[in-house]
């Protein structure tokens, strides 16, 4: 199946956006019942992750720790000032794979899929491709 | 093929569990000779990684460095006290893909697949799905 | 389709090698028009990432930040002296998946695929397997 592009927009410099329901909508539209959904982030200052969605404080804590882990006051050579965002992109990863069963995303009890913005706010997109069983 | 769930248990707060032989058993049981095995961690305080298995000191060193990289004494908002585990989950990733050839896991010479526990000890599970060539 | 092995060599201790055109060559040779290309790193002191390729300063900045993030002066137990490389391998990840459309790698505007060497210089290899739609 050809990949689909889904648009989203972010509102802050660093922000996790829960895209789980967008992905479910994409799966439902495809009519595919069983397979693997490959979700891909085509940007170089944002990533994709799967983590807890129930308590929004978890996302805040991850962002606040990332600001401490990645050096912000550092002699970077890239002139656009967004090197920390490129570093976090490699640390987070550019894609996630989730299973589809009976037409539904199969996530763990507390899991949600997040677009991780590291250099927003911006208009962004993600690409999805489903491989059937 | 429908995904399978494999149970495991962890014995420490932070621990790497070598799951390579569990995955090989799953592949053998499936009878599939060639494909990609998607391994998925449905938890939000544990991950999956592929790294050296020969010297257990490598796993100890990764855990000991992770304790230094992720701030433990930090004003976290999430009240469960396990924010470092959620952070490490995003840094490690929730899934790994390995190739199957002639009915066997195709790993590099020193590679083993690890379940990375960051908030144990607990009963855990992983999900596997094989896509044939 | 059986996986293919692609050889490359690295020239520094830590270095990002752009492998995008090697992957494109592999896809073209396969004749496959649509699918997912799984790229796998069989080493335990090197990874794979997708990040900006236009400005080489971005790669330098990621490496320079990684040297600060991962403790180099630390009481590691592994006797080979390359524990930081093993740690960076887990932080980066061992595989990336990219979409193939109309016979071409489908990357974002600024994206390139990099082999991330953390313990070079060495002769290395990557494995590729394509799953067709």
């Amino acid at each position: 199946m050809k990949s689909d592009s889904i648009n989203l927009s972010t509102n802050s410099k660093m922000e996790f956006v829960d895209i789980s329901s967008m992905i479910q909508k994409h799966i439902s539209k495809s009519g595919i019942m069983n397979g693997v959904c490959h979700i891909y982030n085509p940007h170089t200052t944002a990533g994709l992750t799967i983590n807890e969605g129930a308590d929004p404080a978890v996302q805040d804590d991850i962002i606040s720790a990332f600001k401490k882990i990645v050096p912000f006051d550092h002699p970077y050579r890239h002139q656009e000032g967004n090197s920390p965002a490129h570093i976090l992109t490699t640390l987070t990863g550019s894609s996630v794979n989730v299973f589809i069963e009976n037409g539904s995303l199969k996530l763990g009890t507390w899991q949600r899929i997040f677009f991780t913005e590291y250099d927003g706010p911006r208009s962004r997109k993600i690409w999805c491709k489903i491989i059937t069983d």
Side-chain angles (χ1 to χ4, degrees), chain A:
Chain A
M1 224 187 77
K2 212 180 147 295
S3 71
D4 236 28
S5 184
I6 299 173
N7 295 313
L8 70 152
S9 53
T10 60
N11 300 301
S12 314
K13 177 82 177 170
M14 290 177 71
E15 178 188 2
F16 280 26
V17 181
D18 184 340
I19 57 169
S20 316
S21 57
M22 290 179 199
I23 304 299
Q24 179 58 56
K25 207 175 290 177
H26 170 72
I27 293 167
S28 301
K29 205 182 64 179
S30 77
I32 291 169
M33 296 308 280
N34 295 287
V36 173
C37 182
H38 292 272
I39 311 168
Y40 185 88
N41 186 329
H43 307 284
T44 60
T45 53
L48 287 168
T49 194
I50 295 173
N51 214 309
E52 185 185 316
D55 180 5
V58 171
Q59 303 149 46
D60 295 343
D61 285 351
I62 298 174
I63 289 172
S64 121
F66 279 0
K67 286 180 184 166
K68 207 169 165 188
I69 291 169
V70 171
F72 277 74
D73 181 22
H74 188 74
Y76 290 118
R77 292 185 45 227
H78 184 50
Q79 294 300 311
E80 292 178 37
N82 59 0
S83 288
H86 286 292
I87 294 157
L88 286 167
T89 295
T90 281
L91 290 175
T92 308
S94 295
S95 62
V96 293
N97 308 325
V98 284
F99 298 162
I100 302 168
E101 272 177 30
N102 302 317
S104 293
L105 258 178
K106 187 173 158 70
L107 296 173
T109 312
W110 305 104
Q111 286 184 325
R112 303 292 284 173
I113 309 167
F114 294 98
F115 179 93
T116 63
E117 174 65 80
Y118 297 129
D119 194 32
R122 294 210 203 188
S123 290
R124 300 290 204 174
K125 61 194 167 196
I126 48 170
W127 299 340
C128 294
K129 193 192 261 279
I130 300 174
I131 300 287
T132 50
D133 280 0

